[in-house]
Amino acid sequence: MRVTMTVNGETMTADNVWEGESLLFVLRERLALPGSKNACEQGECGSCTVLLDDVPVCACLVAAGQAAGRQVLTVEGLRALAGQEQLHPVQQAFIDAGAVQCGFCTPGLIVQAYHLLRHSRGVPADPDIREALAGNLCRCTGYEKILDAVRLAAGRPGDAV
Amino acid sequence: MTRLSLGKHGKAMEFLQPTTLAEAIEAKAAHPGAVPIAGGTDVMVEINFDMRRPGALLDLTRVPELTCWEQASGDGVVRLGAGVTYARLIAELGGLLPGLAMAARTVGSPQIRNRGTIGGNLGAASPAGDCHPVLLAAGAAVQAASVRGTRLIPVAEFFLAPKRNALHSDELITSVLVPRARGPQQFAKIGTRNAMVIAVCAFALELRPARVGSGDEGSVGTGIGSAGPTPLRAPAAEEFLAGVLADAGLWESAGPLPDPVLRRFAELAAAAARPIDDVRGTAAYRRHALAVLARRTLAWAWDSYRAGRGASRCG
Ligand SMILES: Cc1cc2nc3c(=O)[nH]c(=O)nc-3n(C[C@H](O)[C@H](O)[C@H](O)COP(=O)(O)OP(=O)(O)OC[C@H]3O[C@@H](n4cnc5c(N)ncnc54)[C@H](O)[C@@H]3O)c2cc1C
Ligand code: FES
Ligand code: FES
């Protein structure tokens, strides 16, 4: 089937989509947006996190047809929000805080952190950061640097997000 | 609303996308084998892992009737559309249905709670579904609809076997009718960590205080999760506790609960379980843990009953 949706502000259409296919598969394999990662395909790791109509979801658990006509924001879209020349402040904070090692979990964490910060005032409390990121697994960093990155992004002057 | 194509696995599948409840029910009648998909947090896992290859998916996310909830007038019942998500149970229903909101807070992760629905939990009918103990404790009912009409299925009759429920092949869950809380409710669950765990076992409790002058002597509701082939109630524990509270005038006095009462309630709750050994825990551990959960939830619920009555909390 054909699926049309708005991805990162652009109308995109994928053809020959199999009905049982996930939004994640469509993004990565049909729309050339491999930023969202596929690590588990069962909702456990959060590396495929995208915003669907501004709500964080695991793209691996959304049927492609369910996303038709909806708004999808992926990590690639954050870059675009910041202007193509630079990283988004949340991305930059992950680098500056040393929160990226192998990087596989990073796109999902960045999308989830972006959503948290956009819906928080000031620096969120630690329990709130932990709760927001509870569905994003990282095998490398031990999470401390990730928490640092979120606090860093939240505390930076100007409109970080 | 129907599209057909061959997929990466070479098997045809239809994607049905009704936009009204009437259309959805007609689609289910026309395609009894179609698998409804709401949040997809159970269905997509099965499809991704090739555990399920239905001939059709019936997407319910565009059916507006399923995503509403309302407090039906007068009778104190909340009607939850099948498509209400955990995130909304937490954000919108903590006051009317605190037990359900507590259970929702323990589900999966934010991403899962944003998509997963109460109707999907019932549809999947896992013995570990976290809504189920709360719905059992509350005496809720599932409303099912088909082209033949609608019917109400008491939750206690809804679960038939692991992952099997009482729906007919042409039926959809439209809503769940849950009596609104009129006393303390509690839910507790044992798992290896706070986020993202399937319960090793879970327990829900609700106290329905006596109403002076109405002849209503008060009652107790219970629900057990992950410790039997289906979610279960613990009727002997309910009757025992309701009896003690009425006979000893405890609803009225809001006095402290004697320790032997807590202990006996816990024993009876654990005895109602029918647990098995599996990867998440042994039957013996589950029984033990259930007794602990039953005692704790009762202590918490009774504390909040007493606090609500203005009694001292240090007794
Ligand atoms: C990572 C992860 C963690 C999880 N953690 C928990 C947890 O802690 N506790 C818990 O209880 N569950 C958990 N689950 C399971 C799942 O999220 C829940 O069962 C959820 O409620 C399913 O809802 P859904 O809308 O996503 O259902 P779907 O996957 O869309 O559907 C589930 C089943 O219900 C049927 N169905 C859906 N809607 C209807 C309807 N209206 N009428 C008839 N049938 C219908 C579907 O056909 C399917 O059989 C978890 C899942 C994942 C992936
Ligand atoms: S790939 Fe989607 S949650 Fe792991
Ligand atoms: S940096 Fe490797 S998984 Fe997180």
Side-chain angles (χ1 to χ4, degrees):
Chain A
M1 65 181 180
R2 162 175 286 197
V3 176
T4 300
M5 55 195 155
T6 307
V7 187
N8 303 329
E10 246 182 85
T11 304
M12 295 193 184
T13 297
D15 278 313
N16 298 318
V17 173
W18 174 60
E19 284 67 14
E21 212 161 285
S22 68
L23 171 61
L24 180 62
F25 189 91
V26 170
L27 291 171
R28 290 178 54 83
E29 311 295 335
R30 301 194 189 275
L31 298 176
L33 291 167
S36 313
K37 296 290 177 263
N38 177 358
C40 75
E41 277 198 300
Q42 53 182 318
E44 296 276 349
C45 75
S47 64
C48 64
T49 302
V50 301
L51 302 187
L52 181 63
D53 286 345
D54 200 34
V55 175
V57 302
C58 298
C60 69
L61 299 183
V62 176
Q66 293 185 303
R70 309 256 191 238
Q71 302 270 343
V72 178
L73 183 85
T74 71
V75 72
E76 289 95 339
L78 284 187
R79 176 76 186 266
L81 282 182
Q84 290 299 345
E85 296 312 304
Q86 51 181 0
L87 291 175
H88 187 275
V90 178
Q91 293 175 304
Q92 192 59 52
F94 267 66
I95 293 174
D96 295 347
V100 183
Q101 289 192 26
C102 81
F104 213 78
C105 66
T106 311
L109 273 159
I110 285 179
V111 170
Q112 187 69 11
Y114 165 77
H115 185 264
L116 167 71
L117 294 179
R118 224 161 48 99
H119 294 270
S120 312
R121 278 162 174 259
V123 183
D126 274 10
D128 294 333
I129 302 177
R130 285 173 188 276
E131 179 55 37
L133 303 186
N136 293 79
L137 299 186
C138 174
R139 299 295 301 269
C140 303
T141 63
Y143 300 102
E144 286 304 325
K145 304 283 181 197
I146 292 171
L147 299 183
D148 288 347
V150 176
R151 288 185 213 110
L152 186 62
R156 280 196 167 154
D159 189 10
V161 289
Chain B
M1 67 183 207
T2 304
R3 303 162 199 161
L4 185 73
S5 76
L6 294 177
K8 56 176 174 176
H9 299 273
K11 279 182 214 148
M13 194 190 276
E14 275 183 277
F15 198 78
L16 309 167
Q17 205 157 49
T19 54
T20 66
L21 184 56
E23 260 179 39
I25 288 167
E26 278 162 30
K28 190 72 175 110
H31 304 81
V35 171
I37 178 168
T41 59
D42 283 312
V43 171
M44 286 305 287
V45 174
E46 293 176 339
I47 291 179
N48 289 344
F49 283 81
D50 245 330
M51 296 183 292
R52 203 167 192 181
R53 277 282 171 273
L57 282 178
L58 176 57
D59 178 23
L60 298 177
T61 57
R62 315 219 171 203
V63 177
E65 292 95 325
L66 297 180
T67 58
C68 314
W69 65 264
E70 65 186 4
Q71 199 186 350
S73 59
D75 55 1
V77 170
V78 181
R79 198 194 64 77
L80 295 173
V84 172
T85 59
Y86 295 108
R88 290 182 59 210
L89 287 177
I90 296 166
E92 299 166 27
L93 285 146
L96 289 173
L97 304 173
L100 208 49
M102 273 180 215
R105 279 186 206 103
T106 75
V107 170
S109 64
Q111 290 91 326
I112 299 296
R113 294 193 293 272
N114 284 339
R115 289 293 286 173
T117 63
I118 187 167
N121 210 213
L122 287 161
S126 159
D130 283 319
C131 293
H132 312 334
V134 181
L135 296 177
L136 281 169
V142 177
Q143 179 150 50
S146 70
V147 287
R148 296 173 291 121
T150 63
R151 63 179 177 131
L152 270 185
I153 309 165
V155 168
E157 293 163 25
F158 186 75
F159 305 106
L160 304 182
K163 310 203 169 177
R164 275 200 45 224
N165 62 40
L167 289 181
H168 296 140
S169 64
D170 63 347
E171 283 179 321
L172 292 174
I173 301 167
T174 53
S175 56
V176 190
L177 302 181
V178 195
R180 79 170 277 191
R182 58 178 193 82
Q185 298 187 335
Q186 280 294 338
F187 173 85
K189 157 176 167 183
I190 303 255
T192 42
R193 68 182 188 116
N194 274 341
M196 208 70 108
V197 285
I198 305 177
V200 174
C201 63
F203 189 76
L205 172 67
E206 98 163 34
L207 301 181
R208 295 179 286 262
R211 287 191 264 219
V212 187
S214 72
D216 175 352
E217 297 204 317
S219 58
V220 172
T222 58
I224 294 172
S226 273
T230 64
L232 299 163
R233 278 178 53 210
E238 294 174 4
E239 278 159 37
F240 163 75
L241 182 59
V244 168
L245 295 175
D247 297 347
L250 282 163
W251 292 121
E252 189 63 9
S253 70
L257 268 190
D259 207 45
V261 173
L262 285 160
R263 235 182 311 210
R264 182 71 186 137
F265 176 73
E267 267 170 28
L268 289 169
R274 291 193 280 136
I276 53 166
D277 295 336
D278 71 10
V279 289
R280 280 175 282 138
T282 61
Y285 175 73
R286 286 192 155 99
R287 227 184 260 286
H288 168 77
L290 261 182
V292 174
L293 292 184
R295 198 175 63 223
R296 275 187 204 161
T297 50
L298 176 52
W300 293 333
W302 192 250
D303 269 357
S304 78
Y305 178 69
R306 299 184 73 204
R309 304 265 304 189
S312 139
R313 296 194 68 172
C314 47

